[in-house]
Amino acid sequence: ISLVNARLHAQIKERNERLKMLNDISKAISSTIEFSELLDMVVSFCLKITQAETGYLFLCKSRTRKKQLQFSDLECQSGLDHNGKKLKELKISQSIIRKVLEEVAPLCLLDTQQDQEIAAQASVMALDLRSVMCIPILGEENICFGVLYLSSQAVSYCFTSRDLSLMESLVRQVG
């Protein structure tokens, strides 16, 4: 019984920490005036929560909403590493982003090597990506107008379903 209680206590503590973090994020977002600052803040929080190494936020270049976005319609609005340093070049898998845009559904790969289709992608191999999370940013009428992309080369930490759920909640703040 004490082992069960300890596990439950740890789960409740983790849940409370995540809820507090989401609350802190919501407060920070609501008090931010500059949109670019807001986007950097969202990526920074996502990196902190997931312990990913890099994070990018892409938004549609044009103001007219398309029912089906293509990668070429997107522009990187924020790119940060886990230390909060701005990234100058994109180190992403376009094929993963294309898949998310096509399906308009989040993609969470705990280990890219376990998915033969993804593992065979040149960008995944070249960047040595191990864990990737990509979430569509949805606006009115659930139309996608961007994506959040997080990745890591480390195998030691993999994204969890809780991370995905929390990231989806956070991305709704942008939408």
Side-chain angles (χ1 to χ4, degrees):
I1 284 185
S2 62
L3 286 174
V4 172
N5 284 341
R7 190 172 342 120
L8 285 173
H9 178 71
Q11 288 173 345
I12 289 170
K13 183 178 177 185
E14 179 186 349
R15 181 173 178 260
N16 286 341
E17 286 172 1
R18 287 175 178 269
L19 287 172
K20 182 187 179 312
M21 195 174 295
L22 190 56
N23 187 41
D24 291 346
I25 291 166
S26 294
K27 284 180 185 176
I29 287 172
S30 66
S31 66
T32 302
I33 297 172
E34 287 291 320
F35 190 60
S36 61
E37 186 182 325
L38 168 71
L39 299 179
D40 285 344
M41 190 180 301
V42 168
V43 173
S44 179
F45 276 123
C46 291
L47 290 169
K48 183 178 177 182
I49 293 165
T50 62
Q51 298 177 17
E53 293 170 353
T54 59
Y56 299 91
L57 200 145
F58 294 86
L59 295 177
C60 185
K61 293 176 194 174
S62 116
R63 297 223 184 261
T64 52
R65 308 266 169 135
K66 296 181 176 182
K67 289 211 179 212
Q68 184 64 50
L69 276 184
Q70 304 297 316
F71 181 77
S72 60
D73 296 324
L74 297 177
E75 183 174 44
C76 183
Q77 299 290 320
S78 177
L80 301 173
D81 69 9
H82 64 284
N83 293 320
K85 182 180 170 194
K86 288 205 179 264
L87 299 171
K88 295 188 188 323
E89 69 179 88
L90 292 178
K91 293 186 176 182
I92 57 160
S93 170
Q94 289 184 18
S95 55
I96 289 174
I97 293 175
R98 282 188 187 104
K99 183 173 183 160
V100 168
L101 291 173
E102 187 178 295
E103 297 174 5
V104 192
L107 181 63
C108 184
L109 297 166
L110 304 180
D111 185 355
T112 58
Q113 303 307 306
Q114 300 299 316
D115 186 315
Q116 290 179 342
E117 179 187 341
I118 298 294
Q121 298 296 324
S123 58
V124 171
M125 290 188 288
L127 296 170
D128 194 27
L129 296 176
R130 293 307 295 239
S131 297
V132 177
M133 185 183 298
C134 189
I135 301 166
I137 301 171
L138 304 176
E140 296 173 9
E141 300 174 20
N142 282 336
I143 293 177
C144 181
F145 67 93
V147 295
L148 171 70
Y149 178 96
L150 304 168
S151 67
S152 181
Q153 294 175 326
V155 184
S156 60
Y157 183 84
C158 292
F159 303 127
T160 67
S161 59
R162 287 188 201 131
D163 291 334
L164 179 61
S165 175
L166 192 55
M167 295 306 98
E168 288 178 303
S169 296
L170 183 56
V171 165
R172 276 190 221 109
Q173 301 288 329
V174 176

